[in-house]
Amino acid sequence: MDRIKASTLTGAEIVIRCLQEEGVEFVFGYPGGAVLHIYDELFKQDKVKHVLVRHEQGAVHAADGYSRSSHKVGVALVTSGPGVTNAVTGIATAYMDSIPMVVITGQVPTHAIGLDAFQECDTVGITRPVVKHNMLVKDVNDLAGAMKKAFHIATTGRPGPVVVDIPKDVTAATCEFHYPETVSLRSYNPVRKGHAGQIKKAVQLLLEAERPMVYTGGGVVLSNSSSQLIDLVRSLGFPCTSTLMGLGAYPGTDKQFLGMLGMHGTYEANMAMQHCDVLLAIGARFDDRVIGDPAHFAQNPRKIIHIDIDPSSISKRVKVDVPIVGNIPDVLEELLKLISSAKTERKSIDAWWKQIGEWRAKDCLRYDRKSAIIKPQFVLEKLYEVTKGEAFVTSDVGQHQMWAAQFYKFNEPRRWINSGGLGTMGFGLPAAMGVQLANRGATVACVTGESSIQMCLQELSTCKQYRLPIKIVNLNNRYMGMVRQWQEFFHGNRYSESYMDALPDFVKLAEGYGHRGVLIDKPADVEPALKEAFSRKSELVFLDFITDQKENVYPMVPGGKGITEMILYEDL
């Protein structure tokens, strides 16, 4: 039974009606010839609000940030040709991090497809490797069904971006509109419930563990299973670590949390990950930045339990002993029930916690606190204090991203918004726009660097138009910091093209866009500047912190090494 009875609408009207049916609040986009019919229909209604960005990459990143910081689907709208190709980086970013999004793209009229028409490109072919699904809708009668399918696929199973490519003549054609209540796809039926036998095996291993470890990833955040994770970890008394994408799912200030693991993870998290005897992996994928060299990781025998909605992620890089395919909250609920009713006497893990305490004593995140130059770590610590750990924090990619992950303790999921899988410079500012629109009145900080911020700097104009009071924390070390760090360690201090010797005056630049800019170059001024900025609830403030050019991120696992082969600050 359809909710909407038959009425004759144009394709453009159908697109808008579908968005309304899905409860879409914002569409982030940029108009162009192939989507003008859709924009005309946007103009005629007020249920779906449009946010005009200044670049299509910004549109998709903003929709991405909106989705990550809420429980909603991000929606972007771009025109054909360069509109689509500009959006591809944002689509790939969302794909790598499994973010539910629907991207509507314009296409040349159906009769012109394949004839190298003005602003034509093969959208389906170009985006195929970086989407969960895509489709070219050539018949207006198929449009409503395609839109319903897009939202269904984007949000179920392992989430991801779906592209709907619509030729201009399809948006002008008419048909009777029916919006289906449900969608059924014979070849797409994600498993939700975990295998009962495998869950029992997992419980037995967990109860027998003497050196257990819980390793969590972005899947815990995306599946909204933070509460079940917290219940499980606290009931077991086990240590817990997280990937970059999973931060906040388990409280960062809790004594059982060992910090982030991986290439720039804590010493204690990496050592515990390597030396545990039973490892419970939840919504994580053992990627190269987490475990480093798989052969090194495999040297220590351990039993691995892996819970994931996507079967292709299990045993992809590391062979596991107990694979459990299913929706994380459903599986964790079953685990909790069995653990609470289990008669097996648990092994003592006191000796394991004592060992972890010895690893923790290294204080692997130490830095020079007496420096006369601003240390970036100090800025992040003060940002955490001033915002009381309650801000939504977006970041770009590089050293500043790692310092934010290390020094800002996230106690809630969906507060840490960054490009983990693709590592997209320019992500931070447009993502912060989406976060601010999804969380009106919330404190939003964009942690960035002088290289990254220039990638999508034009979105300062969007922030002005929509009065988005984002606070930009620019850790300005006049280098492409992470590139320089690798060049120092592995390329004989040859800083090839990593030095930024023609930087703009960011204060004047911010002022040129109608915002407030502040330059901070003394450690004593860091906290007052942050307090002043965050007291300005209705203004965007660009804080340009001049930081130590030579500061590096520690710990660091060199590429190709094992996760215990860390370079530490104390080793210098």
Side-chain angles (χ1 to χ4, degrees):
M1 179 73 74
D2 292 331
R3 284 181 300 201
I4 306 295
K5 294 300 179 185
S7 57
T8 301
L9 302 177
T10 67
E13 288 175 310
I14 288 170
V15 170
I16 303 306
R17 288 286 290 275
C18 292
L19 296 178
Q20 292 173 347
E21 282 293 304
E22 292 292 338
V24 172
E25 184 182 13
F26 292 106
V27 171
F28 301 87
Y30 201 95
V35 287
L36 283 184
H37 292 307
I38 299 174
Y39 269 90
D40 198 37
E41 294 307 321
L42 271 171
F43 184 85
K44 296 174 185 176
Q45 55 83 59
D46 58 8
K47 286 185 180 179
V48 180
K49 301 176 184 69
H50 183 270
V51 177
L52 177 66
V53 297
R54 302 308 190 259
H55 190 284
E56 288 90 353
Q57 181 178 340
V60 187
H61 288 332
D64 188 326
Y66 178 87
S67 179
R68 291 186 201 230
S69 64
S70 66
H71 300 100
K72 301 172 184 176
V73 180
V75 179
L77 171 61
V78 301
T79 194
S80 63
V84 169
T85 55
N86 281 346
V88 167
T89 297
I91 295 168
T93 300
Y95 177 71
M96 287 289 280
D97 290 343
S98 303
I99 307 304
M101 285 173 43
V102 172
V103 181
I104 301 165
T105 61
Q107 184 54 273
V108 299
T110 51
H111 63 79
I113 292 174
L115 300 179
D116 294 331
F118 177 67
Q119 291 193 331
E120 179 190 2
C121 71
D122 178 5
T123 297
V124 169
I126 288 171
T127 61
R128 184 174 287 119
V130 292
V131 293
K132 185 176 179 184
H133 187 60
N134 62 15
M135 44 195 144
L136 171 62
V137 184
K138 290 185 174 182
D139 187 335
V140 70
N141 292 285
D142 299 331
L143 187 51
M147 292 291 288
K148 183 67 178 182
K149 186 191 296 185
F151 279 90
H152 174 70
I153 293 173
T155 54
T156 54
R158 181 178 182 171
V162 176
V163 168
V164 183
D165 195 33
I166 311 173
K168 186 170 184 176
D169 59 321
V170 172
T171 64
T174 59
C175 73
E176 288 188 344
F177 174 55
H178 301 266
Y179 197 63
E181 282 191 352
T182 58
V183 60
S184 178
L185 303 170
R186 187 175 62 181
S187 60
Y188 177 72
N189 293 290
V191 174
R192 289 189 63 85
K193 296 291 184 183
H195 189 280
Q198 294 295 84
I199 294 174
K200 285 180 182 176
K201 285 182 188 176
V203 169
Q204 195 62 36
L205 282 175
L206 292 170
L207 296 178
E208 293 173 353
E210 295 181 2
R211 301 188 310 279
M213 186 68 169
V214 179
Y215 153 54
T216 68
V220 178
V221 176
L222 292 166
S223 62
N224 302 312
S225 49
S226 177
S227 60
Q228 291 93 338
L229 171 68
I230 293 168
D231 289 347
L232 180 70
V233 172
R234 288 181 177 165
S235 68
L236 290 169
F238 288 0
C240 178
T241 185
S242 169
T243 66
L244 179 73
M245 296 304 301
L247 291 173
Y250 191 84
T253 56
D254 191 277
K255 63 183 179 181
Q256 287 174 242
F257 187 63
L258 305 190
M260 181 177 73
L261 82 163
M263 180 172 280
H264 295 293
T266 66
Y267 183 77
E268 55 267 29
N270 283 352
M271 293 298 285
M273 183 78 169
Q274 182 71 8
H275 295 288
C276 65
D277 63 351
V278 175
L279 177 63
L280 173 59
I282 310 172
R285 55 192 177 90
F286 294 91
D287 73 89
D288 57 302
R289 290 290 170 117
V290 167
I291 64 159
D293 178 16
H296 178 276
F297 186 69
Q299 288 175 1
N300 291 32
R302 64 180 76 75
K303 295 293 183 181
I304 300 176
I305 306 156
H306 192 174
I307 304 169
D308 205 290
I309 191 74
D310 181 4
S312 73
S313 289
I314 297 178
S315 291
K316 182 187 284 186
R317 297 192 77 238
V318 171
K319 187 178 185 301
V320 306
D321 301 280
V322 184
I324 304 174
V325 178
N327 191 40
I328 292 171
D330 293 336
V331 175
L332 293 186
E333 288 286 357
E334 288 302 310
L335 274 176
L336 282 162
K337 285 179 189 174
L338 290 177
I339 288 168
S340 65
S341 62
K343 302 292 191 287
T344 306
E345 188 173 338
R346 301 186 197 178
K347 297 285 181 72
S348 170
I349 58 171
D350 291 347
W352 180 231
W353 272 113
K354 183 181 178 184
Q355 173 64 77
I356 289 170
E358 292 173 6
W359 289 329
R360 266 181 167 158
K362 272 190 173 288
D363 187 19
C364 65
L365 298 182
R366 77 179 69 166
Y367 65 92
D368 180 9
R369 295 177 180 275
K370 297 179 181 178
S371 171
I373 307 170
I374 295 174
K375 292 291 185 178
Q377 302 97 318
F378 179 69
V379 177
L380 269 304
E381 285 185 328
K382 289 302 175 185
L383 176 66
Y384 176 72
E385 290 175 17
V386 168
T387 61
K388 299 181 174 61
E390 296 173 352
F392 288 85
V393 179
T394 73
S395 86
D396 275 295
V397 172
Q399 288 180 317
H400 60 270
Q401 177 190 27
M402 296 300 109
W403 283 315
Q406 290 175 338
F407 288 91
Y408 201 101
K409 307 302 180 186
F410 295 94
N411 279 337
E412 295 179 47
R414 298 187 182 273
R415 294 297 179 106
W416 169 234
I417 313 294
N418 79 115
S419 169
L422 197 64
T424 307
M425 293 172 71
F427 174 84
L429 178 56
M433 301 188 317
V435 172
Q436 191 76 77
L437 286 164
N439 303 273
R440 286 290 193 178
T443 300
V444 180
C446 169
V447 176
T448 187
E450 78 292 330
S451 299
S452 282
I453 191 63
Q454 293 189 82
M455 291 275 187
C456 284
L457 189 64
Q458 70 283 343
E459 299 308 330
L460 284 173
S461 178
T462 307
C463 293
K464 181 65 177 176
Q465 180 175 346
Y466 297 96
R467 298 179 175 85
L468 303 178
I470 297 159
K471 307 302 181 276
I472 298 172
V473 178
N474 186 38
L475 302 181
N476 186 347
N477 61 8
R478 290 84 73 209
Y479 270 112
M480 296 177 199
M482 193 60 85
V483 173
R484 185 206 58 76
Q485 179 168 336
W486 280 62
Q487 288 172 333
E488 177 186 329
F489 286 179
F490 311 118
H491 299 279
N493 296 308
R494 293 180 296 278
Y495 301 128
S496 175
E497 301 302 320
S498 59
Y499 177 62
M500 304 290 285
D501 60 354
L503 289 172
D505 181 329
F506 287 109
V507 171
K508 289 181 179 177
L509 194 61
E511 291 171 348
Y513 277 101
H515 303 297
R516 181 177 175 80
V518 184
L519 178 69
I520 307 98
D521 59 6
K522 296 182 180 64
D525 295 334
V526 170
E527 186 173 353
L530 286 167
K531 285 182 175 178
E532 167 70 11
F534 283 97
S535 72
R536 295 177 176 270
K537 302 295 185 184
S538 61
E539 293 181 61
L540 184 149
V541 183
F542 193 117
L543 296 152
D544 189 21
F545 292 96
I546 306 303
T547 62
D548 190 339
Q549 282 194 288
K550 296 183 179 179
E551 192 68 13
N552 291 324
V553 183
Y554 299 104
M556 179 183 182
V557 177
K561 296 289 187 180
I563 57 170
T564 58
E565 299 177 293
M566 291 168 273
I567 301 171
L568 301 173
Y569 178 84
E570 66 181 40
D571 295 333
L572 303 180

